[in-house]
Amino acid sequence: MQRIRLRYTKRGRLRFTSHRDFQRAFERALRRAEVPMAYSAGFTPHPKVSYANAAPTGTGSEAEYLEIALTAPRDPATLRELLDASLPDGLDVIDAVEARTSGLADRLTASVWELRLDGVEPADAERAVAAFLAADAVEVQRRTKNGLRSFDARAAVAGLETVPAAGDRPADGPCAILRLVVRHVTPAVRPDDVLSGLRAVADLAPPVPAAVTRLAQGLFDEESGTVTDPLAPDREAVTAAPPKAAGPAVATAPEGAGSA
């Protein structure tokens, strides 16, 4: 069994698709692309697809990850092209690599988010960011299925700063752009929790909902404060693998298929 890890996006209007909607769209894409999927056992077999830390509905993302299991080997680059062509624009498969290591989900320990605050002056955003970072704790509340829950939104934030707005975006009014690095902790701290924290410590309240996009997710490097590419170890393992020796043609499984 071969395992392929994919990176995909949620862009534009497709950011409003739920995780269940994406699952349905992706399974249809697998059928259209005639991918030789492995299936689970039982009365209702389903494709072996493992999703990792999906972004909340309504947020865009440039860094969503999943893993699929195949019954026959396929070239990751070719598979990426076939699946990308079978998905609607906005759900784009932008990277694929054969899984040569274990623990993809364990390498998703932090995310980088961009928060676009239309109607907010950058100077006001800078003051709010400074107040948030200076606080020892920032308690926020979120309604869950078990009721209203309070937790500290500050401890999970590894980085928060204002960045210049892109020059190619129309400027119809003031706009502040925040860059947020947040660790994946329990309970999970989401971008809207940080916005609630900014409102609590500095009364920062954007007049319209923030446009939120995940730019990256992966292993958090404590020294540099950056988030690393979670697929890099698999690429390095492929590069470091010795070339296969030529030999007589025998009916054996492809060497390395499904290895971790």
Side-chain angles (χ1 to χ4, degrees), residues 1-4 69-74 98-100 244 252-260:
M1 186 182 297
Q2 183 189 38
R3 293 178 295 125
I4 301 291
L70 310 182
T71 57
R74 290 292 185 269
E98 183 175 2
R100 295 294 187 96
K244 298 177 184 177
T252 59
E255 184 177 350
S259 62

Side-chain angles (χ1 to χ4, degrees), residues 13-31:
R13 296 180 64 183
L14 272 298
R15 69 175 59 212
F16 297 104
T17 56
S18 68
H19 183 55
R20 187 178 297 275
D21 291 335
F22 175 77
Q23 286 179 305
R24 286 194 290 262
F26 186 68
E27 290 187 10
R28 286 196 296 267
L30 291 172
R31 291 193 293 270

Side-chain angles (χ1 to χ4, degrees), residues 3-6 52-53 63 65-67 97-112 182-184 214 216-221 226-238 259-260:
R3 293 178 295 125
I4 301 291
R5 289 169 177 166
L6 304 172
N53 197 40
Y65 293 93
L66 59 80
E67 180 177 300
V97 64
E98 183 175 2
R100 295 294 187 96
T101 63
S102 60
L104 173 63
D106 294 337
R107 296 200 290 269
L108 303 180
T109 63
S111 289
V112 181
V182 62
R183 297 182 182 87
H184 299 165
R214 173 148 57 191
Q217 67 170 322
L219 193 66
F220 182 69
D221 187 325
T226 59
V227 174
T228 62
D229 179 7
L231 300 185
D234 296 299
R235 293 193 188 89
E236 293 167 2
V238 171
S259 62

